[in-house]
């Protein structure tokens, strides 16, 4: 679907009507009808399993799942950086099943994030508020969710450094530590700013998102399409310092989940702006990730770690990559990206679900949170569950995903 920039930036009206009527078919990948029947059966079975698991576990969830220990969820009371994924998973389960219990639980969980609207100490407000509050507004029409998401966008733009043209990743605004640190993950937080510009008509939010994306493109993208996890700047002058890493193997390696964040984030920024440089960047990241995949189509935790391709896996990187590739296929019309996404989703459905464990509370296993810190190796992670369901629904019910997160292109 192509609309003018004026239309995109205008304040949306009739959110309730959006909830009641189906999304335009143009938002879906035009190649969607080509999905092989055996693949559809496998993805439906995986979605059925995921929704059944979430339904069984949801009544016992007391806060925000951040990862598993001995296959049971460990919780954060304020959500950490992952708090949006549990309500987001509940929304995906509701879209698939139409079970009103999921809707009720999604709203109750999202409400617990309310204090974080004013949190200026993190760049992760997009992760926190897009799959929870923005989706809640899009699916219910209740203006309170929209207002809260806009407040979160106001908090996020305070982290923008105009000298270096980047959004600071970590640390309080008055803390000099990490003041010049940028990470690839932030690309996924920019859509909250694009949302804010569309809703308010104020270009400031989107302008900051665009400048951050341009900076990320300039300093993160290597000639072969790979990326580091971190890039440091002098926060006072804005001058670039150089690449680094926290969750990757080294500053010259390619952390697979970071590559997935970049692929998905740049594709989204292309859809929100029409800037073809962002689309070119997304394709470069996608092509590198595809070339680095092992035959089993479950990414290793770092594409350039010395033990790859025989290394620890990260199924969450696979789920995020699949969503990004489906988005990229729709944006470019290239069916090859969709085919790889389907192989990723099929591999996760066949080899990474928790079906063999009666005690498991998550849907997806074989995830790695932070390999260098030996933190969360071969566990389950809430964003793996969320993006697996999002990816499967992008195939089975793209119009419903559009209703939830907006797949339109300017």
């Amino acid at each position: 679907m192509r609309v003018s920039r004026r239309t995109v930036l205008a304040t949306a009206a009739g959110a309730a009507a959006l909830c009641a009527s189906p999304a335009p078919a143009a938002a879906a990948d035009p190649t969607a009808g080509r999905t092989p029947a055996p693949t559809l059966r496998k993805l439906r079975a995986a979605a059925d399993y995921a929704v059944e698991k979430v339904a069984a576990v949801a009544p016992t969830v007391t806060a925000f799942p951040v990862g598993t220990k001995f296959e049971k969820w460990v919780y954060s009371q304020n959500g950490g950086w992952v708090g949006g994924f549990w309500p987001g998973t509940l929304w995906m389960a509701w879209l698939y099943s139409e079970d009103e219990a999921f809707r009720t639980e999604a709203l109750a969980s999202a409400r617990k994030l309310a204090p974080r609207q004013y949190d200026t100490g993190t760049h992760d407000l997009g992760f926190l508020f897009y799959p929870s509050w923005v989706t809640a507004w899009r699916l219910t029409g209740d203006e309170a969710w929209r207002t809260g998401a806009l407040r979160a966008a106001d908090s996020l733009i305070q982290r923008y450094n105009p000298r270096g043209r980047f959004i600071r990743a970590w640390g309080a605004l008055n803390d000099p530590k990490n003041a010049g640190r940028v990470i690839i993950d932030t690309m996924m937080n920019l859509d909250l700013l694009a949302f804010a510009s569309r809703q308010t008509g104020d270009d400031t939010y989107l302008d900051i998102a665009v400048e951050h994306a341009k900076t990320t493109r300039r300093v993160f993208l290597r000639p072969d399409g790979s990326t580091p996890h971190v890039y440091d700047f002098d926060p006072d002058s804005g001058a670039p310092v150089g690449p680094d890493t926290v969750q990757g193997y080294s500053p010259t390696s390619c952390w697979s989940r970071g590559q997935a964040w970049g692929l998905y984030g740049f594709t989204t920024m292309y859809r929100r702006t029409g800037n073809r440089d962002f689309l070119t960047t997304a394709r470069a990241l996608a092509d590198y990730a595809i070339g680095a995949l092992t035959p089993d189509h479950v990414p290793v935790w770092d594409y350039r770690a010395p033990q790859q391709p025989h290394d620890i896996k990260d199924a969450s990187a696979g789920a995020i990559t699949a969503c990004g590739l489906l988005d990229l296929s729709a944006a470019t019309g290239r069916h090859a990206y969709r085919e790889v996404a389907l192989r990723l989703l099929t591999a996760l459905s066949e080899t990474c679900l928790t079906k063999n464990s009666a005690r498991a509370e998550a849907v997806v296993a074989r995830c790695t949170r932070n390999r260098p810190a030996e933190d969360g190796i071969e566990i389950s992670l809430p964003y793996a569950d969320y993006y697996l369901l999002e990816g499967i629904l992008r195939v089975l019910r793209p119009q419903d995903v559009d209703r939830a997160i907006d797949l339109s292109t300017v």
Side-chain angles (χ1 to χ4, degrees):
M1 177 173 66
R2 305 191 70 85
V3 295
S4 68
R5 179 175 174 83
R6 180 186 298 275
T7 301
V8 170
L9 293 179
T11 301
L18 172 68
C19 306
S21 60
D29 186 336
T31 64
R34 303 179 193 175
T35 306
T39 300
L40 290 175
R41 286 195 295 271
K42 291 174 183 177
L43 297 186
R44 288 192 188 103
D48 289 342
Y49 173 75
V51 170
E52 180 181 354
K53 175 66 72 174
V54 173
V57 172
T60 70
V61 171
T62 57
F64 298 102
V66 298
T68 55
K69 184 175 183 180
F70 304 120
E71 300 183 281
K72 301 295 185 183
W73 284 124
V74 175
Y75 298 109
S76 165
Q77 292 301 315
N78 77 349
W81 74 269
V82 301
F85 294 119
W86 177 247
T89 298
L90 292 166
W91 280 124
M92 292 295 138
W94 177 71
L95 289 171
Y96 184 73
S97 68
E98 300 182 354
D99 183 340
E100 286 299 304
F102 289 127
R103 182 183 186 276
T104 300
E105 289 159 346
L107 293 170
S109 178
R111 288 188 189 100
K112 296 178 183 178
L113 289 172
R116 302 297 299 279
Q117 300 168 63
Y118 309 99
D119 186 351
T120 61
T122 179
H123 72 124
D124 286 315
L125 291 163
F127 281 130
L128 288 169
F129 283 90
Y130 206 102
S132 56
W133 286 51
V134 173
T135 294
W137 173 70
R138 289 181 60 82
L139 295 177
T140 69
D142 184 339
E143 285 295 309
W145 300 111
R146 173 183 174 275
T147 300
L150 294 177
R151 289 196 190 104
D154 285 334
S155 297
L156 179 55
I157 61 174
Q158 294 185 52
R159 301 184 65 77
Y160 181 65
N161 182 322
R163 294 175 296 280
R165 298 184 178 182
F166 63 81
I167 295 172
R168 170 183 179 169
W170 297 321
L173 296 178
N174 60 357
D175 183 355
K177 185 179 179 182
N178 293 318
R181 179 145 283 194
V182 180
I183 64 175
I184 192 69
D185 316 39
T186 306
M187 288 301 304
M188 290 292 290
N189 291 307
L190 302 183
D191 204 21
L192 180 66
L193 301 183
F195 169 80
S197 279
R198 290 196 306 276
Q199 295 305 308
T200 64
D202 183 349
D203 286 353
T204 302
Y205 305 97
L206 185 59
D207 288 346
I208 287 174
V210 167
E211 289 303 316
H212 179 90
K214 287 180 177 178
T215 298
T216 302
R217 179 180 187 272
R218 176 169 52 85
V219 302
F220 277 79
L221 184 65
R222 301 181 182 126
D224 65 356
S226 66
T227 57
H229 176 209
V230 173
Y231 200 95
D232 289 319
F233 292 82
D234 181 311
D236 296 322
S237 68
V241 174
D244 205 338
T245 196
V246 173
Q247 290 180 260
Y249 176 78
S250 76
T252 60
S253 72
C254 184
W255 177 48
S256 61
R257 190 161 68 244
Q259 190 79 0
W261 294 138
L263 158 60
Y264 195 150
F266 273 107
T267 305
T268 301
M269 283 301 293
Y270 165 71
R271 289 197 291 104
R272 301 307 184 213
T273 66
N275 185 325
R276 297 197 68 84
D277 285 344
F278 297 155
L279 184 64
T280 300
T281 303
R283 290 196 58 191
L285 269 63
D287 293 345
Y288 180 86
I290 291 169
L293 285 174
T294 49
D296 66 357
H297 277 78
V298 181
V300 294
W301 73 279
D302 190 303
Y303 291 130
R304 285 184 170 176
Q307 291 181 311
Q308 68 82 31
H310 310 291
D311 207 339
I312 290 169
K313 300 290 188 175
D314 183 10
S316 75
I320 299 157
T321 300
C323 290
L325 288 173
L326 289 169
D327 215 12
L328 188 58
S329 177
T332 61
R334 292 180 176 266
H335 188 58
Y337 289 134
R338 182 182 177 84
E339 289 177 339
V340 177
L342 293 175
R343 289 199 293 271
L344 283 162
L345 292 173
T346 301
L348 297 177
S349 299
E350 291 180 332
T351 68
C352 296
L353 300 187
T354 57
K355 287 183 175 181
N356 293 331
S357 174
R359 61 177 281 115
E361 293 186 338
V363 175
V364 181
R366 304 182 72 192
C367 299
T368 298
R369 181 162 48 206
N370 188 334
R371 178 72 174 88
E374 294 292 330
D375 172 28
I377 312 300
E378 291 285 339
I379 65 168
S380 296
L381 294 166
Y383 34 95
D385 287 9
Y386 171 79
Y387 287 109
L388 177 69
L389 267 176
E390 181 192 304
I392 291 174
L393 264 65
R394 278 177 176 265
V395 177
L396 301 181
R397 300 187 182 181
Q399 292 181 341
D400 282 336
V401 177
D402 183 48
R403 288 172 57 207
I405 64 174
D406 183 8
L407 300 181
S408 64
T409 301
V410 299

